[in-house]
Short mmCIF file of all heavy atoms in Angstrom, two decimals:
data_model
loop_
_atom_site.label_atom_id
_atom_site.label_comp_id
_atom_site.label_asym_id
_atom_site.label_seq_id
_atom_site.Cartn_x
_atom_site.Cartn_y
_atom_site.Cartn_z
N LEU B 1347 -4.46 -49.84 -5.85
CA LEU B 1347 -4.46 -51.13 -5.14
C LEU B 1347 -5.83 -51.35 -4.49
O LEU B 1347 -6.51 -50.39 -4.14
CB LEU B 1347 -3.41 -51.11 -4.04
CG LEU B 1347 -1.98 -50.74 -4.46
CD1 LEU B 1347 -1.09 -50.61 -3.23
CD2 LEU B 1347 -1.42 -51.79 -5.42
N ASN B 1348 -6.23 -52.65 -4.36
CA ASN B 1348 -7.47 -52.90 -3.63
C ASN B 1348 -7.29 -54.06 -2.66
O ASN B 1348 -6.22 -54.69 -2.60
CB ASN B 1348 -8.66 -53.11 -4.58
CG ASN B 1348 -8.48 -54.35 -5.44
OD1 ASN B 1348 -7.82 -55.32 -5.05
ND2 ASN B 1348 -9.06 -54.32 -6.63
N GLU B 1349 -8.32 -54.32 -1.89
CA GLU B 1349 -8.24 -55.32 -0.83
C GLU B 1349 -7.91 -56.71 -1.37
O GLU B 1349 -7.14 -57.47 -0.77
CB GLU B 1349 -9.59 -55.34 -0.06
CG GLU B 1349 -9.51 -55.86 1.35
CD GLU B 1349 -8.40 -55.24 2.18
OE1 GLU B 1349 -8.25 -54.00 2.15
OE2 GLU B 1349 -7.66 -56.00 2.84
N GLY B 1350 -8.49 -57.03 -2.54
CA GLY B 1350 -8.23 -58.33 -3.18
C GLY B 1350 -6.75 -58.53 -3.47
O GLY B 1350 -6.22 -59.63 -3.29
N ASP B 1351 -6.08 -57.46 -3.88
CA ASP B 1351 -4.64 -57.54 -4.17
C ASP B 1351 -3.88 -57.98 -2.93
O ASP B 1351 -2.94 -58.77 -2.99
CB ASP B 1351 -4.10 -56.18 -4.61
CG ASP B 1351 -4.77 -55.65 -5.87
OD1 ASP B 1351 -5.24 -56.50 -6.67
OD2 ASP B 1351 -4.82 -54.43 -6.06
N ILE B 1352 -4.32 -57.44 -1.76
CA ILE B 1352 -3.65 -57.72 -0.51
C ILE B 1352 -3.88 -59.18 -0.11
O ILE B 1352 -2.94 -59.94 0.18
CB ILE B 1352 -4.18 -56.80 0.61
CG1 ILE B 1352 -3.88 -55.33 0.29
CG2 ILE B 1352 -3.63 -57.19 1.99
CD1 ILE B 1352 -2.42 -54.96 0.32
N VAL B 1353 -5.16 -59.57 -0.16
CA VAL B 1353 -5.52 -60.92 0.29
C VAL B 1353 -4.89 -61.98 -0.61
O VAL B 1353 -4.29 -62.94 -0.13
CB VAL B 1353 -7.06 -61.07 0.33
CG1 VAL B 1353 -7.45 -62.50 0.67
CG2 VAL B 1353 -7.65 -60.09 1.34
N GLU B 1354 -4.99 -61.78 -1.90
CA GLU B 1354 -4.49 -62.80 -2.83
C GLU B 1354 -3.02 -62.61 -3.19
O GLU B 1354 -2.48 -63.34 -4.04
CB GLU B 1354 -5.34 -62.77 -4.11
CG GLU B 1354 -6.77 -63.23 -3.83
CD GLU B 1354 -7.63 -63.18 -5.09
OE1 GLU B 1354 -7.04 -63.11 -6.20
OE2 GLU B 1354 -8.86 -63.17 -4.95
N GLU B 1355 -2.40 -61.61 -2.58
CA GLU B 1355 -0.99 -61.32 -2.84
C GLU B 1355 -0.68 -61.26 -4.32
O GLU B 1355 0.26 -61.89 -4.83
CB GLU B 1355 -0.11 -62.37 -2.14
CG GLU B 1355 -0.29 -62.34 -0.63
CD GLU B 1355 0.40 -63.50 0.08
OE1 GLU B 1355 1.18 -64.20 -0.58
OE2 GLU B 1355 0.16 -63.68 1.28
N ARG B 1356 -1.52 -60.49 -5.02
CA ARG B 1356 -1.36 -60.40 -6.48
C ARG B 1356 -0.06 -59.69 -6.84
O ARG B 1356 0.34 -58.74 -6.17
CB ARG B 1356 -2.54 -59.65 -7.10
CG ARG B 1356 -3.84 -60.42 -7.04
CD ARG B 1356 -4.97 -59.60 -7.63
NE ARG B 1356 -6.26 -60.22 -7.34
CZ ARG B 1356 -7.36 -59.55 -7.05
NH1 ARG B 1356 -7.33 -58.22 -7.01
NH2 ARG B 1356 -8.48 -60.18 -6.79
N LYS B 1357 0.52 -60.14 -7.93
CA LYS B 1357 1.74 -59.47 -8.38
C LYS B 1357 1.37 -58.39 -9.39
O LYS B 1357 1.55 -58.54 -10.61
CB LYS B 1357 2.72 -60.50 -8.97
CG LYS B 1357 3.36 -61.33 -7.88
CD LYS B 1357 4.62 -61.99 -8.31
CE LYS B 1357 4.29 -63.30 -9.01
NZ LYS B 1357 5.55 -64.01 -9.38
N ILE B 1358 0.80 -57.34 -8.85
CA ILE B 1358 0.39 -56.23 -9.71
C ILE B 1358 1.06 -54.96 -9.22
O ILE B 1358 1.58 -54.91 -8.10
CB ILE B 1358 -1.15 -56.03 -9.70
CG1 ILE B 1358 -1.69 -55.90 -8.25
CG2 ILE B 1358 -1.86 -57.18 -10.40
CD1 ILE B 1358 -2.02 -54.54 -7.85
N ALA B 1359 1.08 -53.92 -10.09
CA ALA B 1359 1.74 -52.66 -9.71
C ALA B 1359 0.96 -51.47 -10.26
O ALA B 1359 0.38 -51.55 -11.34
CB ALA B 1359 3.17 -52.63 -10.24
N VAL B 1360 0.97 -50.39 -9.48
CA VAL B 1360 0.44 -49.11 -9.97
C VAL B 1360 1.66 -48.22 -10.14
O VAL B 1360 2.44 -48.02 -9.21
CB VAL B 1360 -0.54 -48.50 -8.96
CG1 VAL B 1360 -1.06 -47.16 -9.47
CG2 VAL B 1360 -1.68 -49.45 -8.67
N ILE B 1361 1.85 -47.73 -11.37
CA ILE B 1361 3.10 -46.99 -11.63
C ILE B 1361 2.85 -45.49 -11.78
O ILE B 1361 1.77 -45.05 -12.19
CB ILE B 1361 3.82 -47.54 -12.90
CG1 ILE B 1361 2.96 -47.29 -14.15
CG2 ILE B 1361 4.17 -49.01 -12.72
CD1 ILE B 1361 3.68 -47.65 -15.43
#
Side-chain angles (χ1 to χ4, degrees):
Chain B
L1347 306 173
N1348 64 28
E1349 204 49 46
D1351 299 333
I1352 297 293
V1353 175
E1354 293 179 17
E1355 298 171 11
R1356 290 178 192 142
K1357 286 200 276 183
I1358 53 104
V1360 179
I1361 64 173

